[in-house]
């Protein structure tokens, strides 16, 4: 069975600095998808970034980028130029194609300090 | 505006009563999902449906039931058999091939 582990329950970063959130996963699959979702205090889940396992190139969305290490089963999220609005819970998620199910990590609470 | 709506935002029930949480989407997505969120446990999948009139149990389906009679709607019933129903419930929809899921605003259910 697939598992997703986020080993950092809480993190903080100064505004404008860079922070990296860790995520590791366990799977025997070769093809799968990985996601980072953000849940701000409003509790609305928002997709941050998505990575297909068959793509070697790391995904990037504006200030958000990932470091995808397939052999190490690692999928970290880097937030550059952190903003106060980045304060949120961040969830890493794994999905096997055609399986229809996400597996979520337990989340990392990120606080951006002014 | 396209999106997912969940109602109500807050719901209070007495123990022993069944309660139905609403989830509607106008994104034309085939797949819909129900998750439960408890502090420190992330999101756990209750039920999901990839097509109308079909649904599958997730990891914590006991004490819950769903129906998928319309593409747009995926209501969740929390039955009296659910031992600890107080939680935050999130509905999502998604589509192949992106596999991205789009979430509703959630319903906070409190059972006393």
């Amino acid at each position: 069975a697939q598992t997703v582990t986020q080993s950092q329950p809480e993190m903080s970063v100064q505004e404008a600095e860079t922070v990296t959130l860790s995520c590791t996963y366990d799977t025997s699959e070769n093809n799968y998808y990985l996601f980072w979702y953000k849940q701000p205090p409003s509790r609305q889940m928002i997709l941050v970034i998505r990575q297909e396992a068959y793509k070697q190139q790391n995904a990037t969305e504006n200030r958000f980028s990932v470091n995808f290490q397939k052999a190490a089963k690692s999928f970290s999220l880097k937030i550059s130029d952190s903003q106060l609005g980045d304060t949120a819970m961040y969830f890493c998620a794994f999905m096997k194609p055609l399986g229809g199910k996400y597996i979520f990590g337990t989340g990392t609470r990120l606080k951006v300090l002014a | 505006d396209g999106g997912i709506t969940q109602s109500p935002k807050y719901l209070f029930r007495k123990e022993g009563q069944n309660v139905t949480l609403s989830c509607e989407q106008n994104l034309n997505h085939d797949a819909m999902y129900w998750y439960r969120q408890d502090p420190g446990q992330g999101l756990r999948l209750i039920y999901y449906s990839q097509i109308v009139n079909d649904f599958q149990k997730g990891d914590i389906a006991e004490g819950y039931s769903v129906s998928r009679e319309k593409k747009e709607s995926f209501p969740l019933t929390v039955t009296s058999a659910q031992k600890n129903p107080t939680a935050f419930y999130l509905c999502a929809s998604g589509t192949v091939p992106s596999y991205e899921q789009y979430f509703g605003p959630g319903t906070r259910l409190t059972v006393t």
Side-chain angles (χ1 to χ4, degrees), chain A residues 56-88:
Chain A
Q56 291 188 339
Q57 187 173 7
N58 289 326
T60 299
E61 287 288 343
N62 301 313
R63 297 182 295 107
F64 298 88
S65 61
V66 299
N67 183 6
F68 173 49
Q69 301 288 330
K70 190 173 183 179
K73 296 180 183 174
S74 171
F75 183 61
S76 60
L77 175 70
K78 185 172 85 170
I79 306 174
S80 304
D81 186 26
S82 297
Q83 301 174 359
L84 296 177
D86 295 333
T87 292

Side-chain angles (χ1 to χ4, degrees), chain B residues 12 17 21 25 27 31 33 41 46 52 66 73-74 99 108:
Chain B
F12 299 88
Q17 293 179 336
L21 281 59
Q25 56 101 358
L27 299 168
Y33 307 82
Q41 293 197 45
I46 305 172
V52 174
V66 294
S73 179
F74 192 42
Y99 296 107
R108 172 69 184 176

